[in-house]
Amino acid sequence: MRIHDPHRAAAIDLFFDGKRYAAHAGESIAAALFAAGVRSLRVSPRLNQPRGMFCLMGSCQECLVMVDGRRVLACQTPVVTGMHVETVPETGIDV
Ligand code: FES
């Protein structure tokens, strides 16, 4: 799905750390947040550096976020209406 595709699905709300963003059904969390200008999805606990999308195919784990108390890969998880996404709590190791 192209970001500027005129045939995108209807806009829905997505919340990331309490802030509302517009997304479109069928997009991954990562794609929706990237289109909204979000580049950092978590902070590396060991290096204290921002982490975001990298491989976009579920291999690198850099896009790890929390949805409903579960860790999910933002690049592999489609958005749903009213979804609340949170930053992964610091674990002390880079995961
Ligand atoms: S961007 Fe690599 S697993 Fe999601």
Side-chain angles (χ1 to χ4, degrees):
M1 178 182 303
R2 303 286 182 207
I3 289 175
H4 298 294
D5 185 343
H7 304 295
R8 297 170 84 184
I12 59 175
D13 287 335
L14 166 68
F15 297 88
F16 181 53
D17 285 344
K19 186 175 177 184
R20 186 172 62 185
Y21 295 92
H24 294 269
E27 295 177 327
S28 68
I29 296 169
L33 291 175
F34 190 86
V38 176
R39 300 295 183 262
S40 177
L41 299 175
R42 65 183 184 96
V43 174
S44 165
R46 185 167 55 93
L47 302 175
N48 199 30
Q49 295 177 337
R51 295 288 190 239
M53 296 188 305
F54 185 67
C55 74
L56 291 173
M57 60 182 190
S59 294
C60 73
Q61 312 285 306
E62 294 290 358
C63 66
L64 197 64
V65 293
M66 302 290 288
V67 175
D68 296 330
R70 295 184 317 118
R71 293 173 181 236
V72 301
L73 296 175
C75 71
Q76 301 297 302
T77 306
V79 296
V80 296
T81 302
M83 177 182 261
H84 287 262
V85 180
E86 305 289 337
T87 303
V88 174
E90 187 171 315
T91 61
I93 59 172
D94 283 343
V95 290

